[in-house]
Amino acid sequence: MVKHNNVIPNRHFHKKYCQSSRGPLKVRISLNQATRKKARRLRRAAKAAAIAPRPMQKLRPVVHCQTQRYSAKVRLGRGFTIEELKAAGLEPGYAQTVGIAVDKRRTNRSEESLQANVARLQDYKKKLVVLGSQPEEAPSQLTGVIMPLVKPKKTIEMQEVTADMKEFKAFTTIRVARQETKVAGYRVSVENRKKKD
C-alpha cells in the first residue's frame, strides 16, 4: 500500500518499445502499407475482370437505422428478406445469381418498409439484363453502389406573418400547459372525492 500524500504512480511502462531487462522490445511498424494497398487494388481489379460484365456490388435493401435516436434515418442494409423476395416474385436462390443480396435473418416489422423494398426489387427487375454464358456483345461493367439512396432536398416554406401569429404568446401557452399537467392528477382526485360524497 502506498503511504503518504505522494504523486500517484502512472508511468507508462506498458509501451512495447520501452527498454527492459530483456533489451528493447520490437515495435510494430507498417513499412508494407503501400505494397498492401497495391495488392488490394490488383485483387479488386482481378475480381472485377473475373465476374465481368456483372457489377462488383449487389443490390441492397433500404432499412431504418437502429435505436430510437437514429430510427428516422434510412440506409442500405445487408440483404432482402425472404418475404420481400416472394412478394416481388423471386426465389432466394435465383436472386443471389442475379446480383441481389439476401439476408435470411432479417425480418419485416412494418408493412411500409416491406412495400418500399418490394418496389425497389421490381424496379431492379425492370432494369436487369440477363446475358447468356457466352455473350457476343457484353455491356460495360457497372461500378459503385447499385441504385443508391437519393436524399430528399430540404426546402424552406415561406409564410406570411398574420396578426394571429403576432398575438400568440408561445411562452405563456407552454407555461399554462405545464401547470395544467401538474395539477391534472389532483383535479381528478378531487372530482372522484366529490362523486363519492
Side-chain angles (χ1 to χ4, degrees):
M1 185 68 195
V2 179
K3 289 184 178 180
H4 311 300
N5 188 19
N6 299 325
V7 178
I8 297 169
N10 63 343
R11 292 174 182 172
H12 299 199
F13 284 143
H14 286 285
K15 291 190 170 71
K16 297 297 179 189
Y17 49 82
C18 287
Q19 284 280 357
S20 69
S21 59
R22 293 166 289 166
L25 300 177
K26 286 184 179 178
V27 181
R28 188 158 186 184
I29 53 176
S30 57
L31 299 175
N32 59 350
Q33 187 179 12
T35 314
R36 281 185 177 177
K37 183 180 178 181
K38 185 181 177 183
R40 283 196 301 271
R41 180 172 57 78
L42 293 174
R43 211 179 302 131
R44 280 196 302 271
K47 185 181 177 183
I51 66 168
R54 287 180 290 172
M56 282 286 289
Q57 297 188 28
K58 292 187 174 185
L59 180 71
R60 305 282 177 185
V62 178
V63 297
H64 283 268
C65 297
Q66 290 181 337
T67 72
Q68 192 175 1
R69 183 177 182 180
Y70 300 107
S71 60
K73 292 186 177 183
V74 290
R75 62 175 175 83
L76 294 179
R78 180 185 174 87
F80 291 91
T81 60
I82 308 296
E83 194 180 352
E84 288 166 353
L85 293 167
K86 282 182 180 176
L90 290 164
E91 287 295 322
Y94 174 73
Q96 287 176 315
T97 62
V98 291
I100 298 170
V102 179
D103 188 4
K104 294 176 183 176
R105 294 173 295 183
R106 191 166 73 84
T107 55
N108 291 105
R109 294 210 173 96
S110 69
E111 192 65 30
E112 291 84 3
S113 65
L114 172 69
Q115 294 304 325
N117 281 323
V118 168
R120 188 172 167 82
L121 283 167
Q122 286 170 345
D123 192 22
Y124 179 74
K125 277 168 67 178
K126 287 175 189 171
K127 296 174 183 177
L128 184 66
V129 177
V130 180
L131 301 170
S133 56
Q134 297 294 326
E136 295 175 6
E137 230 178 84
S140 60
Q141 191 175 31
L142 184 68
T143 57
V145 179
I146 298 172
M147 293 171 66
L149 294 176
V150 179
K151 289 185 179 178
K153 289 184 179 179
K154 293 179 181 178
T155 55
I156 299 169
E157 189 180 339
M158 306 301 283
Q159 280 187 339
E160 289 288 331
V161 179
T162 59
D164 292 337
M165 287 182 185
K166 288 179 181 178
E167 288 171 14
F168 179 70
K169 301 281 189 286
F171 179 76
T172 309
T173 310
I174 291 167
R175 189 174 57 78
V176 170
R178 191 188 299 127
Q179 194 61 31
E180 289 292 324
T181 53
K182 273 185 181 179
V183 298
Y186 174 71
R187 284 179 181 163
V188 169
S189 63
V190 169
E191 287 291 325
N192 291 341
R193 236 178 283 140
K194 284 180 181 177
K195 283 178 185 176
K196 284 180 182 177
D197 296 340

